[in-house]
Amino acid sequence: MQVSKCIGIALLWIGGLVVVCAGINNNDPYLVPLRGTGNLLLVAASIAVVFMLVRRAAWRRRSWAGRLLVVLWCLPPLAVLAAHGVFEVRRHRVLQTDPVLARSLGQHFVVGYRSFDEVAPLVEKGFIAGIYVTKRNVAGRTADALKAEIAALQAKRRAVGLPPLMVATDQEGGIVSHLAPPLTRLPALASLAELAPDERKAKAEEFGRVHGRELASLGINLNFAPVLDLRPDTKRNRLDFNTLTNQRAISDDPAKVSAIAGAYIHGLESAGVSATVKHFPGLGRVRADTHHFSADLDTPVGELDATDWRPFRDVLSTSGARLMVGHVAVTALDPGRPASHSKAVVDGLIRKTWNYQGIVMTDDLVMGAIYQHDVCTAVVEALNAGVDLLLVAYDGLQFYRLFACATDAAARGGLDTAMLHESETRLRRAQLID
């Protein structure tokens, strides 16, 4: 009995420390599932444990350990409240940004959201250029409900004289079909790789037309597809829980990737929906999952240019596709700095060497390769490198932190005004802003 009692007390101490840490870090993207109902359960559990300890006279004992245990379990509700207070103060501060500055910086942000009320103020005041919709926005809902929600947000833009929202999603086909259901679930483009050239081109274009028609019917005008990463020649990394390039890549043959992706984009664009090719500089050779870990691409530039980068150059030169840059560092160009905020990669390679003057956007900045490091530096360096759009997808509430990074940099003169002007010109040319 004594042993079991000691184990129980030890578990209470460990559990208390874990729950306090969860409360303190409540605003972290990894703890998104705790928000809302999760926080209520956390607080209720804390109160229940305190009640149990008090009833067992832990508070009245002279043992400091017993009293400290009670105090420990009193802390989680306070930690949650403090974290919420920090978020609300930051949110209030951002929403008080000078309207001119808010609209100037806001044209560079695309934000995911969980409810209409969460994103409506940002839409109406010009703090963002676009929204990202995914499976959380359609769970338990009809396509008509999402269509009405998007239309209502666009109406708010029109009412205040702001340009239409960019409305984006991830509808690649295969395992990444975030709006299916209610939309049609198509196979991955990889399923077409072994068909005869004419047949795969026709089917890829038809896949694009189906996606385009269905997305356009909801009011979605940008698809984060197709994937141009080459299929890895190694088995799946057991620590790759999210990227799953081996299941999403079209082929390991650059020519096939270019042909299938180009046809798909043509079909997508024919329905009025723009494409976004990803994830430059390519994830086919990368073992780490950038959703959680930093990653490097150590291959020489000449080899990359002839293989991994060939589909990107082919497709970008023959379509109006946007380019999504991932969080992989190209060692030969800018070691240690993810391509998504590397001036050597974005301005040096993509803009100057390739002469690509279209829209460049980051992969989700709420990914471990960025967020677990200096996310403020990433935001500022991305804008100064010539990135046009910053994506805040998985946890849209992180927008307030990232936007504050940008406004703080603007206040101290840390943003390159020439780069911002060039970016605004590109956005205007792409008709993403007035």
Side-chain angles (χ1 to χ4, degrees):
M1 176 64 89
Q2 191 66 29
V3 172
S4 62
K5 183 177 180 181
C6 289
I7 292 174
I9 292 173
L11 290 175
L12 281 173
W13 275 102
I14 294 171
L17 291 171
V18 169
V19 174
V20 169
C21 287
I24 291 172
N25 295 288
N26 203 251
N27 294 327
D28 191 279
Y30 277 104
L31 297 181
V32 164
L34 272 184
R35 295 183 197 158
T37 303
N39 278 336
L40 293 177
L41 292 174
L42 184 149
V43 170
S46 300
I47 293 172
V49 171
V50 169
F51 181 73
M52 178 196 72
L53 291 172
V54 170
R55 283 203 64 182
R56 290 175 178 268
W59 180 264
R60 294 193 296 274
R61 291 176 184 166
R62 293 182 180 180
S63 166
W64 280 104
R67 294 185 178 186
L68 284 174
L69 187 58
V70 173
V71 172
L72 176 66
W73 278 93
C74 288
L75 293 178
L78 298 177
V80 170
L81 187 63
H84 183 67
V86 168
F87 169 78
E88 287 298 332
V89 168
R90 180 182 289 141
R91 178 177 178 273
H92 176 77
R93 177 191 164 202
V94 165
L95 292 177
Q96 296 304 308
T97 302
D98 174 76
V100 175
L101 179 61
R103 293 188 179 190
S104 174
L105 294 177
Q107 66 188 317
H108 299 289
F109 284 87
V110 178
V111 175
Y113 68 101
R114 294 177 183 273
S115 71
F116 181 89
D117 292 340
E118 176 186 306
V119 76
L122 303 179
V123 168
E124 196 167 22
K125 295 182 179 180
F127 280 91
I128 58 177
I131 55 174
Y132 168 75
V133 296
T134 188
K135 53 190 173 184
R136 64 173 172 247
N137 302 106
V138 294
R141 305 175 70 194
T142 64
D144 286 342
L146 178 59
K147 178 179 180 179
E149 182 172 274
I150 293 171
L153 291 171
Q154 294 286 24
K156 284 184 174 291
R157 299 285 279 197
R158 289 193 300 271
V160 294
L162 285 170
L165 283 170
M166 175 174 51
V167 184
T169 193
D170 272 312
Q171 194 75 349
E172 300 172 9
I175 62 170
V176 179
S177 300
H178 290 171
L179 299 185
L183 302 187
T184 304
R185 182 179 293 277
L186 294 177
L189 289 174
S191 65
L192 310 179
E194 300 310 315
L195 299 177
D198 289 345
E199 186 179 4
R200 71 184 177 218
K201 178 181 178 182
K203 284 189 175 294
E205 190 167 338
E206 178 58 22
F207 278 18
R209 281 196 296 269
V210 172
H211 276 163
R213 285 195 301 264
E214 293 191 344
L215 294 177
S217 72
L218 298 179
I220 295 170
N221 49 39
L222 179 61
N223 192 14
F224 292 158
V227 168
L228 299 191
D229 309 310
L230 297 188
R231 181 177 294 160
D233 58 4
T234 57
K235 292 183 178 179
R236 175 175 173 259
N237 178 3
R238 294 185 182 277
L239 295 179
D240 179 5
F241 304 113
N242 298 96
T243 303
L244 303 173
T245 306
N246 63 322
Q247 297 182 51
R248 298 165 64 191
I250 295 172
S251 172
D252 59 0
D253 181 344
K256 286 184 179 180
V257 175
S258 297
I260 292 172
Y264 173 84
I265 291 170
H266 187 267
L268 195 68
E269 291 178 339
S270 71
V273 176
S274 296
T276 304
V277 295
K278 59 187 183 183
H279 311 78
F280 187 80
L283 300 177
R285 301 175 189 263
V286 177
R287 298 287 289 163
D289 181 351
T290 53
H291 288 82
H292 309 288
F293 310 105
S294 298
D296 297 307
L297 187 57
D298 297 324
T299 309
V301 167
E303 186 176 346
L304 289 170
D305 206 40
T307 54
D308 299 59
W309 295 353
R310 178 181 165 187
F312 289 98
R313 298 188 71 172
D314 289 347
V315 171
L316 292 175
S317 65
T318 57
S319 73
R322 281 66 168 136
L323 174 63
M324 178 180 286
V325 182
H327 307 314
V328 177
V330 183
T331 304
L333 296 178
D334 197 354
R337 180 176 284 105
S340 55
H341 56 98
S342 167
K343 190 166 186 175
V345 173
V346 178
D347 186 54
L349 177 69
I350 296 170
R351 300 292 189 203
K352 292 187 170 63
T353 303
W354 290 10
N355 196 32
Y356 175 69
Q357 300 305 319
I359 301 301
V360 172
M361 69 184 306
T362 69
D363 203 347
D364 189 2
L365 293 175
V366 189
M367 291 170 67
I370 297 296
Y371 197 85
Q372 299 306 320
H373 300 280
D374 189 348
V375 69
C376 269
T377 295
V379 168
V380 174
E381 288 187 350
L383 292 173
N384 288 343
V387 171
D388 304 299
L389 297 171
L390 308 179
L391 179 61
V392 189
Y394 172 68
D395 181 8
L397 293 181
Q398 299 302 327
F399 162 79
Y400 293 101
R401 179 181 178 188
L402 273 58
F403 194 85
C405 294
T407 56
D408 289 347
R412 65 173 184 270
L415 294 181
D416 188 327
T417 54
M419 280 294 188
L420 291 177
H421 177 71
E422 290 177 11
S423 179
E424 183 172 338
T425 300
R426 286 189 294 270
L427 291 169
R428 288 184 187 279
R429 189 167 58 241
Q431 297 182 334
L432 294 179
I433 63 173
D434 276 343

